[in-house]
Amino acid sequence: MDDDERFMSLAIELAGRGRGSVEPNPMVGAVIVRGRRRLGCGWHKRFGGPHAEIEALGDAARSGRDIRGATMYVSLEPCCRRGKTPPCTDAIIDAGLGRVVVAMQDPHEKVAGGGVAALRAAGIDVLVGVCQIQARRLLAAYIKLRTERRPWVICKWAQTSDGLVELGEDQGKWISGAQSRGWVHKLRGRCEGICVGIGTVLADDPLLTDRSALGRHPIRVVLDCGLGIPLDSQLVRSGGEVPLIVATSAEALTANPTRAEQLMSAGVELLELPAAEGRLHLPALLDELGRRGWTYLLVEGGPTVLEGFIDSDLTDELLVFVSPPKDVPAPETLRRFDIAELRRRRQLGEPQLSRIGDDTLLRFVLSSY
């Protein structure tokens, strides 16, 4: 690994620290170097806050280091437009940097090469493409949002090693262990929204909040074609505190005007989607969420909802928690959604494997950008 790759890898590592706090902005990291000496580092820490380049410039300034003529490594093309913050290209030029190394061009239509052009016009030497594969992997969800105008869809479920996604009365409440459930709560806190079907609401009465230390609650989305969500469900009762969207059909809204009014009075947003044969049109849902700037949608529904996203090729990532077999035999009537069968049917490749407590986490990335 040469120096450019080494310092850019550090910038990409720093960028990842902003995950869950900067969306729909991209995660970006920056490092300022002279020779092999680091002069300043930074990353984009929160949406609306200073960008990575400004953080790195500030870090160098606080240390009293002269950065004129130095090199900045930045994991994404510096912005050249005024948004919530001034253009980073102006700050780089004013700082007198002599060279800027960029991992990848920004796919945002208001940047898209403009930042590189502005730096070069100011006489700064710019190199683009160092560690581009790693940068694009980190920013896959951002790239999808900017190019397809849809969020990155993560389908998540827990199952026993023999494919069960629900347990009998004698088998306990949870399939996955406490450590896995804590991991999922952190994942929820990094996503703009979490989606389930009405079947999950009726069966489990979930709250669907982030109960980790992050405390960044996702917007709850319920697919409810017939508008049957109970008014006394935890989701509806908490609708005034944590946003809840109930996606439903025009037919259901026409047939249930009183229920619709009651839900809206409870703070619930009703989202009308096209429907056919009792199922909502999922691509229309993703288009709407993309218009709202959502970067990540976590789907935690039952087999029907999961299959709807997966079989429609709307899923970018699968997260499957596989737990050890239970001591008590399971009734044959329990629902199954076995990743082994899905791998055969969809010809999925090899997953990334992680151990979380007693569970095994299988991660399949289905989309690449």
Side-chain angles (χ1 to χ4, degrees):
M1 182 181 293
D2 63 21
D3 287 344
D4 282 349
E5 291 174 338
R6 181 160 63 92
F7 288 117
M8 185 60 78
S9 294
L10 174 58
I12 293 171
E13 179 185 335
L14 291 171
R17 298 183 184 183
R19 187 186 301 276
S21 300
V22 302
E23 292 82 4
N25 282 355
M27 296 174 280
V28 184
V31 180
I32 302 173
V33 174
R34 189 188 307 281
R36 294 186 174 181
R37 182 188 176 207
R38 276 188 269 167
L39 304 178
C41 297
W43 67 94
H44 187 29
K45 296 178 180 178
R46 60 178 178 82
F47 179 72
H51 290 185
E53 299 93 324
I54 307 305
E55 292 280 5
L57 291 170
D59 182 39
R62 286 189 294 273
S63 301
R65 292 166 181 157
D66 180 11
I67 62 172
R68 288 172 297 177
T71 296
M72 173 179 281
Y73 294 86
V74 58
S75 58
L76 183 69
E77 176 183 12
C79 65
C80 54
R81 65 186 184 92
R82 178 175 290 274
K84 290 185 176 294
T85 60
C88 290
T89 50
D90 290 358
I92 292 171
I93 293 167
D94 292 343
L97 293 171
R99 181 172 181 252
V100 175
V101 181
V102 177
M104 60 172 281
Q105 180 176 299
D106 192 338
H108 196 296
E109 65 277 4
K110 294 183 178 180
V111 183
V116 169
L119 295 175
R120 285 174 173 162
I124 295 176
D125 179 23
V126 182
L127 174 63
V128 180
V130 175
C131 298
Q132 181 170 222
I133 293 175
Q134 297 95 308
R136 292 183 69 87
R137 186 179 299 127
L138 176 70
L139 291 178
Y142 171 73
I143 297 170
K144 181 185 180 184
L145 178 62
R146 300 294 359 145
T147 57
E148 296 190 27
R149 303 295 191 271
R150 286 180 176 177
W152 183 268
V153 176
I154 304 170
C155 283
K156 189 281 301 180
W157 71 93
Q159 64 165 78
T160 61
S161 56
D162 52 351
L164 287 173
V165 293
E166 66 178 353
L167 300 176
E169 294 181 358
D170 297 331
Q171 295 181 301
K173 181 179 179 182
W174 302 106
I175 291 178
S176 56
Q179 288 177 265
S180 295
R181 297 196 299 275
W183 192 96
V184 169
H185 278 288
K186 292 180 181 178
L187 174 64
R188 288 179 176 181
R190 298 188 181 107
C191 296
E192 283 89 343
I194 178 171
C195 179
V196 299
I198 184 60
T200 295
V201 177
L202 296 176
D204 301 334
D205 190 23
L207 189 56
L208 301 180
T209 54
D210 166 25
R211 293 187 285 279
S212 72
L214 295 175
R216 178 179 182 246
H217 298 306
I219 297 174
R220 290 86 53 87
V221 180
V222 177
L223 304 177
D224 184 7
C225 192
L227 205 60
I229 186 168
L231 297 173
D232 62 351
S233 64
Q234 289 197 92
L235 289 171
V236 174
R237 286 190 284 111
S238 62
E241 302 169 7
V242 182
L244 170 64
I245 298 172
V246 174
T248 190
S249 63
E251 181 181 2
L253 290 172
T254 301
N256 302 283
T258 301
R259 177 175 287 267
E261 290 179 5
Q262 291 171 323
L263 289 169
M264 289 188 290
S265 296
V268 177
E269 177 186 351
L270 299 180
L271 175 62
E272 181 183 326
L273 294 178
E277 299 180 352
R279 293 197 177 188
L280 297 171
H281 189 59
L282 297 179
L285 171 67
L286 297 184
D287 289 339
E288 174 59 28
L289 300 182
R291 283 190 288 271
R292 300 183 184 204
W294 287 26
T295 308
Y296 295 97
L297 175 66
L298 177 62
V299 179
E300 284 197 25
T304 300
V305 170
L306 292 167
E307 286 179 334
F309 278 94
I310 295 170
D311 290 343
S312 299
D313 291 323
L314 299 174
T315 305
D316 301 292
E317 185 176 342
L318 304 179
L319 296 176
V320 188
F321 291 86
V322 180
S323 73
K326 304 302 178 183
D327 296 332
V328 182
E332 289 298 321
T333 55
L334 295 179
R335 294 180 299 170
R336 296 178 181 271
F337 192 66
D338 191 356
I339 185 58
E341 189 279 328
L342 182 63
R343 288 185 68 182
R344 289 191 295 270
R345 177 161 58 87
R346 300 284 298 181
Q347 296 184 327
L348 301 179
E350 291 299 315
Q352 301 173 24
L353 299 177
S354 304
R355 194 75 178 171
I356 303 180
D358 293 329
D359 303 323
T360 300
L361 172 60
L362 283 64
R363 178 176 184 254
F364 299 84
V365 179
L366 309 183
S367 301
S368 59
Y369 287 86

